[in-house]
Amino acid sequence: MYEQDAKNPYLTQLREKYKLHRLVKHAKNDTERALSIMHWVHQQWKHDGYNAATKRDALSILDAARNGNNFRCVEYGIVTAACLNAIGLKARV
């Protein structure tokens, strides 16, 4: 699974496309890094408890959100875990 290697091409693409390192560059510790990522993910779309993503991966969900789609809390978890993995913090949904 891609979550186990931050150098995985998928995580590299996620990290670079959304400039995740910029979000955490001033964080003093892992807790602050995680909170920065969580805050950013929370701002990417409005919660819609009835709209499940058709593809259950972070890049697809973020692309759909950029096109105006809103998603459930499950999708927040998918994207947050992938973003945390992309910056080197172990996480799972």
Side-chain angles (χ1 to χ4, degrees):
M1 207 170 221
Y2 70 81
E3 293 94 344
Q4 298 178 9
D5 181 10
K7 294 180 182 178
N8 176 286
Y10 183 90
L11 293 178
T12 299
Q13 181 182 2
L14 177 62
R15 184 174 50 253
E16 291 175 0
K17 182 173 183 176
Y18 291 99
K19 299 172 179 40
L20 299 179
H21 282 302
R22 288 184 184 176
L23 297 174
V24 298
K25 71 179 178 180
H26 297 296
K28 295 178 182 129
N29 54 47
D30 287 347
T31 300
E32 286 185 11
R33 281 185 271 287
L35 289 171
S36 294
I37 292 292
M38 290 170 58
H39 178 73
W40 178 79
V41 171
H42 178 73
Q43 294 176 324
Q44 299 311 298
W45 67 84
K46 291 182 181 178
H47 181 264
D48 178 346
Y50 299 102
N51 190 30
T54 55
K55 293 184 179 180
R56 296 179 52 90
D57 70 281
L59 286 169
S60 297
I61 293 167
L62 287 166
D63 287 345
R66 281 191 165 181
N67 289 324
N69 290 300
N70 296 309
F71 299 107
R72 309 167 302 162
C73 53
V74 172
E75 284 76 17
Y76 285 112
I78 293 167
V79 174
T80 299
C83 289
L84 290 171
N85 287 313
I87 63 164
L89 295 178
K90 292 183 180 183
R92 61 183 179 159
V93 179

